[in-house]
Amino acid sequence: MLMSTHEARLAALREELKRQGLDGFVVPICDEHMSEYIGAYAQRLEWLTGFGGSAGSAVVLSDRAAIFVDGRYTIQVRDQVDGRLFEYVGTAQQSVADWLGANAAKGAVIGYDAWLHTRDWVKQASAKLAKAGATLKELTDNPVDAVWHDQPARPDAIMKPHAMEYAGRDSAEKRGDIATWLAEENLDAAVITALDSIAWIFNVRGSDITHTPVTLSYGVVHQDGRADLYVAPGKVTDDLRAHLGNQVALHDYDSFPEGLDALSGKAVAVDPERAVAAIFARLEAAGAKVVAKRDPSVLPRAMKNTTEIAGHRAAQARDGAAVSRFLHWLSIAAPAGGQTELSAAAKLLEFREATGKLIDTSFDTISGASSNGAICHYRVSEETNLPIVMDSLYLVDSGGQYLDGTTDITRTIAIGTPTAEMKRRFTQVLKGHIALATIRFPKGTTGGQLDALARQFLWADGVDYAHGTGHGVGSFLAVHEGPQRIAAFGGQGEPLRPGMICSNEPGYYKAGEFGIRIENLVLVEPIEIEGAEQEMLGFETLTFAPIDRNCIDPALLSPGELAWLNAYHGKVMEVVAPQLDGEALAWLERACAPIA
């Protein structure tokens, strides 16, 4: 019997491991910069397994293999990965390190690529394997690359200056702030590895990573404000050199390891969450004093300046009009029949492109009809494409990258008549969305403390959703940006600060039937409360497009919730209506009409 494509690839990898004297290998979704979205050349897990999510890992042993995903991907992984080849493991139940410790044979040697894992992961996996009498071995060359014969090359797009009219702060000023921080911490330099951090610090953008306007590069900022930028020579233009100025020295991307050697004897800050294990090892071998510190650009990047906030409002208004045009189109096209997840996603892209300002989508559009809507991070393909049919729910989560801002919005639409269960769950999700949108909270409050507000109405019925309620969003940068999150896990301890932009996206997913999510972006802002005894913060909603009235059971809404919904739709009219005309405008007026 002929082997399937992924069966053949798995067999080829096992042969390569055997040739190298290895008993196993760990394959994460990752690149050398710990990016969430990665270039085609780094999609090793998808090539090996078929899994197309943005988070996950696999372990390949000589006689068994497993794939590890979190709760967002429990349905998707079963659709995309052959269960005869890979065991499905939920990371909430068992980590990769724990699985290795439980399944690696005594004396086994398990390989890993130190440019694709954090130092902490290496420590944990090494400890678990040691208890089992096995060993974790750093490899010079990735064995997947050895058998991936048509592996794409690294992208060659140029690095572009990002104008002050969008950035709001000069790169020299940002580097000066980092230099001041280094002096305060008695450090000589900071190694910057996260691509969005480099883009923000140097006010540059690129197109090396789909959906995220960044360039493959590394940076080192010194205490005197000088900096080294490592980027492939073919990406450098005269405009870029002029933009960077004489305080930034340019080096070949491939010479970065030698650049680390030059920091011998220096006290160097490296972010343990964003820098791979190989960087720590190289610096330590060179004789540098390595100090684990969070990337100093992470917090200021998250706290948007006034220019970035104004740009985001402009981008969101433009995007909201495009989404509203799409919803109007869907209200006619879906009941007429013949539409699918792919055709709807393509039409939404057309409306965004018609703005004349779209640079890219901010992630693969999640276009989920009926049961596919229950897959939280679903990615439609020709194989999975479902028709959009009557008396069903259609979920569309999408966003755009514009020079002035990054957008992310989810709407769930009833095609025909929703069931009573659909309306109840939708209204519960809406109530949670409103509870978060209207909360006022003291300075120092974390996203983890707010997460339950959005879940409480679902919890009352004994149901929940397996993803966070909110993530940070960049300024023409990553659509998922830290350090803040509104979640009960992962980054939940970061206080929310003025200028941070987060998503507000509770949901509900009934496997095999339907999915619901309502997502707007919100801005953390100071709130004046008469008689308040401490600084208070709240959220300003930034996203404007109708929320489907046909999915709402008004009897489940309190007077305050109903007032919020009507006021929100009034704001949608204020922001979006001037950009529409004709039938689209008439539809918007109906979609935003107050509910009594």
Side-chain angles (χ1 to χ4, degrees), residues 32 36 112 205 300 404 414 447 525 556:
E32 302 85 348
E36 177 182 16
Y112 76 101
R205 297 296 189 269
D404 49 4
E525 60 177 356
L556 297 179

Side-chain angles (χ1 to χ4, degrees), residues 53 113 120 160 174 222 244 305 310 329 422 433 473 520 564:
D113 185 338
D120 285 348
K160 300 177 181 178
K174 295 175 182 178
H222 301 274
L244 294 171
N305 61 50
W329 169 84
M422 291 172 179
H433 182 98
V473 177
N520 289 337
W564 181 93

Side-chain angles (χ1 to χ4, degrees), residues 117-400:
H117 295 276
T118 65
R119 183 180 60 167
D120 285 348
W121 181 89
V122 172
K123 289 179 179 177
Q124 292 166 10
S126 295
K128 295 290 184 181
L129 284 168
K131 284 186 178 180
T135 306
L136 189 67
K137 180 181 180 180
E138 178 182 342
L139 304 181
T140 305
D141 298 307
N142 193 306
V144 174
D145 298 348
V147 297
W148 187 359
H149 301 303
D150 58 350
Q151 184 178 19
R154 287 201 307 243
D156 57 4
I158 64 170
M159 178 181 272
K160 300 177 181 178
H162 189 54
M164 274 288 288
E165 66 178 292
Y166 305 117
R169 290 186 66 207
D170 182 77
S171 173
E173 182 184 353
K174 295 175 182 178
R175 299 194 310 270
D177 287 348
I178 294 173
T180 299
W181 174 81
L182 288 168
E184 291 171 350
E185 298 288 334
N186 293 315
L187 296 167
D188 298 302
V191 173
I192 310 296
T193 61
L195 299 181
D196 51 352
S197 292
I198 293 164
W200 183 85
I201 292 168
F202 293 96
N203 284 348
V204 292
R205 297 296 189 269
S207 54
D208 282 354
I209 307 295
T210 305
H211 309 307
T212 309
V214 294
T215 298
L216 293 175
S217 50
Y218 294 100
V220 179
V221 180
H222 301 274
Q223 199 191 99
D224 60 4
R226 292 181 305 105
D228 295 293
L229 182 60
Y230 295 83
V231 59
K235 298 176 176 294
V236 177
T237 64
D238 290 341
D239 283 348
L240 180 68
R241 289 189 183 91
H243 166 76
L244 294 171
N246 58 14
Q247 291 297 297
V248 178
L250 287 163
H251 310 272
D252 191 332
Y253 179 84
D254 290 329
S255 71
F256 177 63
E258 290 74 27
L260 296 175
D261 295 341
L263 296 171
S264 176
K266 304 287 188 181
V268 183
V270 185
D271 189 328
E273 290 184 21
R274 295 168 178 83
V276 296
I279 291 173
F280 283 89
R282 186 85 181 213
L283 284 167
E284 288 164 355
K289 178 188 176 184
V290 183
V291 181
K293 291 281 186 182
R294 184 165 73 182
D295 175 341
S297 72
V298 166
L299 190 55
R301 171 162 50 85
M303 298 170 64
K304 307 297 183 283
N305 61 50
T306 55
T307 299
E308 291 170 323
I309 292 170
H312 185 90
R313 289 194 178 107
Q316 195 64 65
R318 181 188 314 122
D319 198 72
V323 171
S324 296
R325 288 188 180 96
F326 166 76
L327 294 174
H328 166 242
W329 169 84
L330 188 70
S331 73
I332 299 168
Q339 298 303 322
T340 67
E341 295 169 340
L342 281 173
S343 68
K347 195 67 178 181
L348 177 53
L349 179 60
E350 281 183 29
F351 285 116
R352 282 198 168 100
E353 289 176 334
T355 66
K357 294 183 180 293
L358 183 72
I359 306 298
D360 193 1
T361 52
S362 54
F363 54 97
D364 286 320
T365 295
I366 299 171
S367 177
S370 304
S371 59
N372 282 345
I375 304 172
C376 300
H377 282 215
Y378 171 67
R379 187 170 72 182
V380 61
S381 66
E382 291 288 353
E383 293 72 31
T384 63
N385 186 31
L386 287 181
I388 298 174
V389 298
M390 291 300 291
D391 301 332
S392 68
L393 293 184
Y394 170 66
L395 184 154
V396 57
D397 185 350
S398 67

Side-chain angles (χ1 to χ4, degrees), residues 240-586:
L240 180 68
R241 289 189 183 91
H243 166 76
L244 294 171
N246 58 14
Q247 291 297 297
V248 178
L250 287 163
H251 310 272
D252 191 332
Y253 179 84
D254 290 329
S255 71
F256 177 63
E258 290 74 27
L260 296 175
D261 295 341
L263 296 171
S264 176
K266 304 287 188 181
V268 183
V270 185
D271 189 328
E273 290 184 21
R274 295 168 178 83
V276 296
I279 291 173
F280 283 89
R282 186 85 181 213
L283 284 167
E284 288 164 355
K289 178 188 176 184
V290 183
V291 181
K293 291 281 186 182
R294 184 165 73 182
D295 175 341
S297 72
V298 166
L299 190 55
R301 171 162 50 85
M303 298 170 64
K304 307 297 183 283
N305 61 50
T306 55
T307 299
E308 291 170 323
I309 292 170
H312 185 90
R313 289 194 178 107
Q316 195 64 65
R318 181 188 314 122
D319 198 72
V323 171
S324 296
R325 288 188 180 96
F326 166 76
L327 294 174
H328 166 242
W329 169 84
L330 188 70
S331 73
I332 299 168
Q339 298 303 322
T340 67
E341 295 169 340
L342 281 173
S343 68
K347 195 67 178 181
L348 177 53
L349 179 60
E350 281 183 29
F351 285 116
R352 282 198 168 100
E353 289 176 334
T355 66
K357 294 183 180 293
L358 183 72
I359 306 298
D360 193 1
T361 52
S362 54
F363 54 97
D364 286 320
T365 295
I366 299 171
S367 177
S370 304
S371 59
N372 282 345
I375 304 172
C376 300
H377 282 215
Y378 171 67
R379 187 170 72 182
V380 61
S381 66
E382 291 288 353
E383 293 72 31
T384 63
N385 186 31
L386 287 181
I388 298 174
V389 298
M390 291 300 291
D391 301 332
S392 68
L393 293 184
Y394 170 66
L395 184 154
V396 57
D397 185 350
S398 67
Q401 290 284 11
Y402 305 91
L403 285 172
D404 49 4
T406 299
T407 69
D408 184 2
I409 175 174
T410 308
R411 289 296 182 264
T412 305
I413 305 100
I415 310 301
T417 304
T419 66
E421 179 188 23
M422 291 172 179
K423 292 183 73 168
R424 179 175 181 82
R425 294 290 178 247
F426 185 97
T427 309
Q428 289 171 323
V429 169
L430 176 60
K431 288 167 72 72
H433 182 98
I434 295 170
L436 189 58
T438 56
I439 189 64
R440 296 177 172 188
F441 51 92
K443 177 183 176 182
T445 298
T446 67
Q449 291 173 279
L450 302 182
D451 181 72
L453 291 169
R455 301 178 190 269
Q456 58 182 310
F457 304 102
L458 292 165
W459 283 353
D461 273 5
V463 296
D464 201 357
Y465 50 94
H467 59 75
T469 302
H471 56 82
V473 177
S475 179
F476 187 44
L477 275 176
V479 73
H480 295 152
E481 178 182 86
Q484 76 277 17
R485 287 194 71 197
I486 301 173
F489 46 85
Q492 72 276 16
E494 185 71 36
L496 298 173
R497 297 175 172 87
M500 287 180 168
I501 293 174
C502 301
S503 65
N504 173 0
E505 52 177 311
Y508 171 76
Y509 312 92
K510 187 170 185 178
E513 296 196 29
F514 61 86
I516 296 165
R517 188 158 64 249
I518 303 170
E519 178 185 18
N520 289 337
L521 299 188
V522 295
L523 172 71
V524 182
E525 60 177 356
I527 297 291
E528 294 293 332
I529 300 177
E530 186 176 353
E533 297 180 352
Q534 56 189 315
E535 291 183 53
M536 298 294 291
L537 303 173
F539 294 122
E540 173 195 341
T541 295
L542 298 169
T543 302
F544 295 105
I547 295 169
D548 191 2
R549 296 157 47 99
N550 297 325
C551 289
I552 298 170
D553 181 351
L556 297 179
L557 295 178
S558 70
E561 291 164 343
L562 196 57
W564 181 93
L565 180 64
N566 288 335
Y568 174 75
H569 278 146
K571 186 70 174 178
V572 172
M573 287 298 299
E574 179 185 326
V575 172
V576 175
Q579 302 177 70
L580 304 185
D581 57 21
E583 293 182 4
L585 177 58

